[in-house]
Amino acid sequence: MHPLKHIDAHMDNLISELQTLIQQPSVSAKNEGIQECAQLVKKILEKAGIKSEILRLKNFAPIVYGEIKSKKNPNRTLLFYNHYDVQPVEPFELWDDPPFSGKIKGNKIFGRGSSDDKGELITRIKAVEALLKTAGDVPCNIKFVIEGEEETGSVHIEQYLKKYQKKFSCDGVIWEFGYVDSKNRPIIGLGMKGLLYVELSVKESIRDAHSSLAVLIKNPAWRLIEAVNTLRDSDGKILIKDWYKEAEPLSKKDLEIISREPFDEKSFKKEFGVKSFVSNMNGFSAKKALVGNPTCNIAGFVSGYTGSGAKTVLPKDALVKIDFRLIPKMEPKKQIFRLKKHLKTMGFNDVSIKIFHGEAAARTNPSDSFVSKVKEAADQTFGKSILNVSNAGTGPMHSFVKILNAPCVSIGSTYMFSRIHSPNEFARIDLLRKTTKCFCLLIDKFGNN
Ligand SMILES: [Zn+2]
């Protein structure tokens, strides 16, 4: 039987195994069902004919590793990166069915993890299984790295990658997720932005005071506002010295891809209820910003009294949380140093800095042959696809690219509006089927390089 026919003939099996996966809670934020889910994933891999083991490092959530060697082409390896953990289900009362039900309604299968990331994982396993069951071999070596801490920031993935660098070595990585837009076009993502998350605070006095004393006691909220105001101009440009020094500009090819990318500005604005964008960007400049602009965003600002009514108080302290998105070649450590130096030079020695998270950006060259293979497989399956130079968000892609030294591309089955991280998350069965077929074709193309 042809592997694509095999996929059609065994969709029931794909669905029931996805249901089993959804029904096993695996909330990393609460350490709920993590070990059990890792065992379950191992079992599913083995049932598909993929050799599997559980890797453990310290007391971190285990990684489920799967591997199948190709008999005819043992010199080329494709690695699938996925995760078996899920986001918490709260608010519980907003779910129409229990969050771990795996209930099917028409073309949709519901439950936490149905798309993110258990749905994505099952398509990849089933694609490999279809090849194995129909040909008794795979066109290239396949590896699975399935982690259990993605939804809590993949904080230990780099340590795992370093320890198992040899074991995980490969020639291409398929990222854990991929979106399909409302016109059924898969989005092929070639990168992710980096992130620097910091907290700035000012403590002025040992307790809140009557606000009449504002004539004498300095207000820490004002002080922090003054400091924060030096970081960025009103057009979004970051004013810290050398902030953009190493930042890699978009290439001609990147710009070409961006110009071809669809962007429904009107419905985007409607979705968020906004009338205009930062610096009045529109059309091409807005698309370009999503892909290639660093940001300095205030994520939260707390000080004094924010309850109802009036309270004339002079707060003792003030705190702001800021996230900076980074683009390729901007090194988090260097940027932290620059931020600290900036505050010092501007005279804000009294502003304390706490660093939470630093992660570099990653981008795969659109001219890499891996990209064209993914695009061919996607176009063949879906009829059309969209290339995206970089996601506006952040993920640990850089660790993979850097440590495994392989190009990394994201493509998957997640319908854009499938409510991932929200109540009533679902996966579309038609997309699960198509994506499984797409991976089958991709593995074949990749193997027959
Ligand atoms: Zn997620």
Side-chain angles (χ1 to χ4, degrees):
M1 196 191 268
H2 191 276
L4 299 187
K5 290 237 166 66
H6 183 277
I7 290 167
D8 281 327
H10 294 81
M11 270 308 284
D12 288 359
N13 175 261
L14 182 151
I15 299 299
S16 73
E17 283 190 359
L18 177 54
Q19 283 177 307
T20 312
L21 273 170
I22 294 168
Q23 285 155 6
Q24 170 60 60
S26 53
V27 183
S28 47
K30 302 176 175 182
N31 195 17
E32 181 190 351
I34 290 297
Q35 305 297 332
E36 293 85 346
C37 195
Q39 293 296 343
L40 177 63
V41 170
K42 180 172 185 276
K43 225 172 81 190
I44 289 175
L45 282 168
E46 277 163 2
K47 248 174 82 186
I50 302 159
K51 220 176 81 195
S52 168
E53 63 182 303
I54 292 199
L55 308 176
R56 289 177 196 281
L57 208 57
K58 297 183 188 163
N59 60 345
F60 310 158
I63 280 188
V64 187
Y65 177 71
E67 184 177 340
I68 178 99
K69 286 211 163 71
S70 170
K71 287 174 217 155
K72 64 175 178 197
N73 189 9
N75 296 320
R76 242 174 114 63
T77 305
L78 183 65
L79 184 144
F80 289 108
Y81 162 61
N82 284 89
H83 61 94
Y84 61 83
D85 65 321
V86 297
Q87 283 278 323
V89 299
E90 286 82 356
F92 193 81
E93 65 280 6
L94 295 184
W95 288 80
D96 295 336
D97 295 290
F100 300 109
S101 71
K103 192 167 177 173
I104 293 169
K105 294 180 195 168
N107 184 32
K108 293 173 182 168
I109 172 163
F110 286 85
R112 175 58 83 234
S114 54
S115 270
D116 178 13
D117 190 42
K118 291 168 174 174
E120 298 281 16
L121 173 63
I122 203 74
T123 62
R124 295 151 186 217
I125 296 174
K126 291 296 157 185
V128 175
E129 185 183 50
L131 289 162
L132 276 175
K133 295 269 157 81
T134 53
D137 192 17
V138 272
C140 62
N141 303 325
I142 303 285
K143 292 178 179 177
F144 282 92
V145 171
I146 309 160
E147 73 150 313
E149 299 179 316
E150 198 275 340
E151 299 294 7
T152 47
S154 296
V155 277
H156 301 116
I157 195 73
E158 186 153 323
Q159 287 181 59
Y160 271 112
L161 286 168
K162 279 183 178 153
K163 162 121 197 234
Y164 295 103
Q165 187 179 17
K166 248 199 172 143
K167 200 182 191 79
F168 297 170
S169 72
C170 60
D171 305 293
V173 177
I174 293 289
W175 201 242
E176 45 109 1
F177 76 90
Y179 288 116
V180 179
D181 77 357
S182 52
K183 291 184 176 150
N184 290 327
R185 296 172 294 197
I187 297 164
I188 300 168
L190 307 184
M192 305 205 83
K193 284 183 182 172
L195 182 73
L196 188 61
Y197 202 103
V198 304
E199 182 184 291
L200 305 183
S201 61
V202 174
K203 186 172 158 53
E204 179 59 30
S205 54
I206 54 168
R207 61 170 164 270
D208 288 357
H210 191 284
S211 73
S212 60
L213 297 178
V215 287
L216 295 178
I217 299 175
K218 288 180 235 162
N219 185 312
W222 273 125
R223 183 68 179 154
L224 196 54
I225 287 167
E226 285 160 13
V228 168
N229 202 34
T230 66
L231 299 179
R232 170 195 180 274
D233 72 13
S234 51
D235 287 328
K237 187 170 177 267
I238 297 160
L239 303 171
I240 300 165
K241 189 167 178 261
D242 292 336
W243 194 255
Y244 299 90
K245 193 171 176 193
E246 294 89 10
E248 196 169 59
L250 294 162
S251 69
K252 222 178 125 198
K253 176 111 184 169
D254 292 337
L255 294 171
E256 251 175 64
I257 294 171
I258 293 168
S259 71
R260 281 198 300 269
E261 228 183 295
F263 177 58
D264 189 344
E265 198 174 321
K266 240 174 131 182
S267 38
F268 185 100
K269 283 178 175 158
K270 205 175 147 205
E271 174 78 25
F272 292 97
V274 298
K275 288 190 181 69
S276 63
F277 290 147
V278 171
S279 194
N280 276 319
M281 278 186 286
N282 55 43
F284 185 63
S285 63
K287 289 201 285 182
K288 219 171 80 179
L290 275 171
V291 166
N293 280 15
T295 60
C296 169
N297 173 60
I298 296 178
F301 197 118
V302 200
S303 187
Y305 180 75
T306 53
S308 62
K311 182 185 179 193
T312 46
V313 66
L314 196 171
K316 65 178 190 305
D317 51 18
L319 180 150
V320 64
K321 289 187 188 277
I322 295 179
D323 62 81
F324 294 92
R325 298 278 166 188
L326 309 175
I327 61 168
K329 303 278 155 71
M330 294 172 93
E331 221 187 279
K333 269 191 190 139
K334 255 188 200 163
Q335 305 303 110
I336 290 168
F337 172 78
R338 285 169 178 154
L339 169 65
K340 285 181 174 169
K341 198 173 160 196
H342 169 86
L343 289 170
K344 220 170 150 185
T345 318
M346 303 295 283
F348 293 102
N349 285 308
D350 52 331
V351 174
S352 313
I353 308 181
K354 200 165 145 190
I355 313 292
F356 281 95
H357 188 67
E359 191 163 333
R363 242 184 247 168
T364 286
N365 187 336
S367 307
D368 196 294
S369 68
F370 183 41
V371 177
S372 45
K373 282 184 200 311
V374 175
K375 177 107 175 79
E376 276 169 33
D379 288 343
Q380 237 169 293
T381 321
F382 289 85
K384 60 217 154 181
S385 64
I386 296 163
L387 274 182
N388 171 250
V389 173
S390 173
N391 191 294
T394 301
M397 199 180 259
H398 180 74
S399 302
F400 281 79
V401 174
K402 182 183 65 179
I403 297 165
L404 303 183
N405 190 26
C408 189
V409 172
S410 107
I411 179 164
S413 59
T414 300
Y415 175 53
M416 247 180 181
F417 304 108
S418 56
R419 307 190 200 124
I420 62 169
H421 294 206
S422 313
N424 300 320
E425 175 180 351
F426 67 88
R428 266 173 49 185
I429 295 169
D430 63 324
L431 294 181
L432 293 171
R433 181 197 297 254
K434 271 193 171 169
T435 308
T436 307
K437 290 181 177 176
C438 175
F439 282 127
C440 225
L441 293 177
L442 168 62
I443 295 167
D444 200 50
K445 288 177 198 294
F446 190 78
N448 298 302
N449 195 27

